[in-house]
Amino acid sequence: MEKIAMLGGGSWATALTKILSENGARVGWWQRNKDDVQHLRTTRHNRRYLSSVAFDLTRVFPSTDLEEVVKEADWLVLAVPAAFVQSALDKLDRDALKNKRIISAIKGMIPGKNVLVTDYVAERFRLPHTQLGIVAGPCHAEEVALEKQSYLTIGSSDHQLAEDFSALLRNRYVKAHPMADLDGIEYFAVMKNIIALTCGIAHGLGYGDNFQAVLVSNAVQEMRRFVHAMNPQPRDLSASAYLGDLLVTAYSQFSRNRTFGSMIGRGYSVKSAQLEMNMVAEGYYAVKSIYELNKELKVPMPIAQAAYHILYEKISPAVELEILKEKFR
């Protein structure tokens, strides 16, 4: 039986815990809130996210003791918002992950440091990148709860790690496969949230499907330029780990980044949108990280730039979209 430490209590952590535990793994599930942990132990349900899912408590072990959960595991799955990674992991000793294999399920960057989550973990715990992977692809947690057909990609420079974790995820409604492009997949996962957020802003302003299709088409080119500048290597961006993830996040009713953007387009302030959603939209933080990284790269990124102007410089969404639409072809 594989032993897994799941860090995070959100919808994606809940979905992954469902998949892994039902496939036979033992999951130590760390959450910060002791009342949420007690509720899970008592009712077998996560009261905040995907509350219809019932967990087998002979395989799932909710806990607020991070050190103990990590100590007992072979795998560590990070599913907390990127903004909270440092505060969670800094409680651990630098050698705590020495013999673990780590999978990031976070589609965001470390705010302030502007680094990928896997790069931060590698540096913080002095780990080779061969111990790290990322789970990505067009897979909303809400559809996992409904057991709808889904596809995941495990990116890692170590093929065996990627294949082993893929095997832990495969079941009748989840297909998973390994891919070698750790950095490319992770950067793309970060950027697709920015694009989904901007699609939401356009939707909130009343732009239609025609404009959104052009926005997403231009976004693919923008993302290709940026990812190639950060990590140049051949990659097929039509693969589901890249394009598929972008499309589902840009168009789906379950996309929190699209929802957040739509609220901004309808006139909400950033703060009021965050409070009403009660969920973290990773794209908000990613916009600032990508914008600051690109100050040195100087890659043409009109969509990310427009999102930054709206969210951080408080320029009118209507004005920014008017400027942006003239740059599209």
Side-chain angles (χ1 to χ4, degrees):
M1 181 183 292
E2 294 286 339
K3 298 176 181 178
I4 297 168
M6 180 66 63
L7 273 59
S11 57
W12 194 214
T14 306
L16 288 170
T17 299
K18 168 183 165 62
I19 296 169
L20 292 163
S21 63
E22 290 179 357
N23 282 356
R26 180 196 189 280
V27 182
W29 191 0
W30 177 80
Q31 296 189 32
R32 192 187 307 269
N33 188 301
K34 63 181 181 181
D35 292 334
D36 291 345
V37 168
Q38 187 57 44
H39 189 271
L40 258 168
R41 289 172 174 169
T42 304
T43 70
R44 303 189 301 129
H45 297 268
N46 184 347
R47 63 178 179 173
R48 296 180 187 272
Y49 302 98
L50 309 186
S51 57
S52 64
V53 177
F55 293 96
D56 181 348
L57 297 183
T58 65
R59 291 180 179 170
V60 176
F61 301 89
S63 175
T64 58
D65 189 336
L66 178 62
E67 290 83 357
E68 189 64 25
V69 166
V70 171
K71 180 182 177 181
E72 294 181 359
D74 305 309
W75 296 85
L76 176 67
V77 179
L78 298 171
V80 297
F84 304 144
V85 169
Q86 282 184 267
S87 62
L89 294 185
D90 282 356
K91 298 181 178 70
L92 296 174
D93 183 82
R94 288 181 72 89
D95 292 325
L97 307 185
K98 186 176 180 180
N99 299 312
K100 315 292 183 186
R101 296 202 276 183
I102 296 95
I103 299 292
S104 173
I106 304 166
K107 298 179 178 181
M109 303 184 77
I110 306 296
K113 292 183 176 293
N114 302 331
V115 296
L116 296 173
V117 171
T118 55
D119 287 340
Y120 170 75
V121 173
E123 180 182 356
R124 169 69 175 78
F125 295 96
R126 298 172 295 198
L127 301 175
H129 276 78
T130 51
Q131 279 183 239
L132 297 156
I134 182 169
V135 56
C139 187
H140 279 307
E142 292 81 1
E143 291 199 355
V144 169
L146 296 170
E147 300 189 355
K148 291 185 177 293
Q149 187 65 56
S150 302
Y151 293 78
L152 289 169
T153 300
I154 310 304
S156 178
S157 57
D158 184 276
H159 177 80
Q160 194 59 55
L161 179 149
E163 173 54 37
D164 289 348
F165 198 73
S166 295
L168 291 174
L169 293 170
R170 294 183 187 119
N171 61 24
R172 63 179 175 79
Y173 62 89
V174 176
K175 295 186 182 297
H177 68 276
M179 187 179 284
D181 185 19
L182 173 62
D183 284 355
I185 291 173
E186 197 164 2
Y187 276 121
F188 215 88
V190 170
M191 288 196 62
K192 57 92 181 179
N193 287 331
I194 299 173
I195 305 308
L197 192 155
T198 310
C199 285
I201 292 173
H203 180 263
L205 286 168
Y207 286 82
D209 293 343
N210 294 345
F211 178 77
Q212 179 161 324
V214 174
L215 193 160
V216 171
S217 298
N218 279 264
V220 173
Q221 299 171 46
E222 183 167 319
M223 296 162 81
R224 179 186 291 113
R225 291 192 294 266
F226 180 80
V227 173
H228 185 74
M230 292 298 296
N231 182 254
Q233 64 171 275
R235 46 176 63 94
D236 179 7
L237 296 185
S238 66
S240 63
Y242 309 108
L243 182 59
D245 205 0
L246 169 62
L247 292 176
V248 78
T249 310
Y251 285 92
S252 175
Q253 61 176 323
F254 296 126
S255 170
R256 67 187 67 178
N257 288 283
R258 178 184 166 88
T259 299
F260 177 79
S262 182
M263 294 170 76
I264 298 297
R266 297 200 311 271
Y268 282 71
S269 68
V270 167
K271 192 67 176 177
S272 60
Q274 289 173 328
L275 288 171
E276 184 161 321
M277 283 183 65
N278 195 32
M279 297 175 80
V280 175
E282 293 280 16
Y284 171 71
Y285 301 101
V287 165
K288 192 169 189 290
S289 292
I290 295 297
Y291 182 84
E292 290 179 350
L293 281 174
N294 198 44
K295 285 181 180 178
E296 292 186 16
L297 295 173
K298 294 181 170 52
V299 174
M301 299 182 69
I303 300 172
Q305 185 176 51
Y308 180 84
H309 289 165
I310 293 167
L311 297 177
Y312 289 93
E313 296 183 349
K314 299 183 179 179
I315 295 176
S316 162
V319 170
E320 276 299 318
L321 266 291
E322 280 292 323
I323 295 170
L324 186 62
K325 74 180 186 181
E326 295 302 320
K327 298 179 180 179
F328 290 166
R329 294 291 182 268

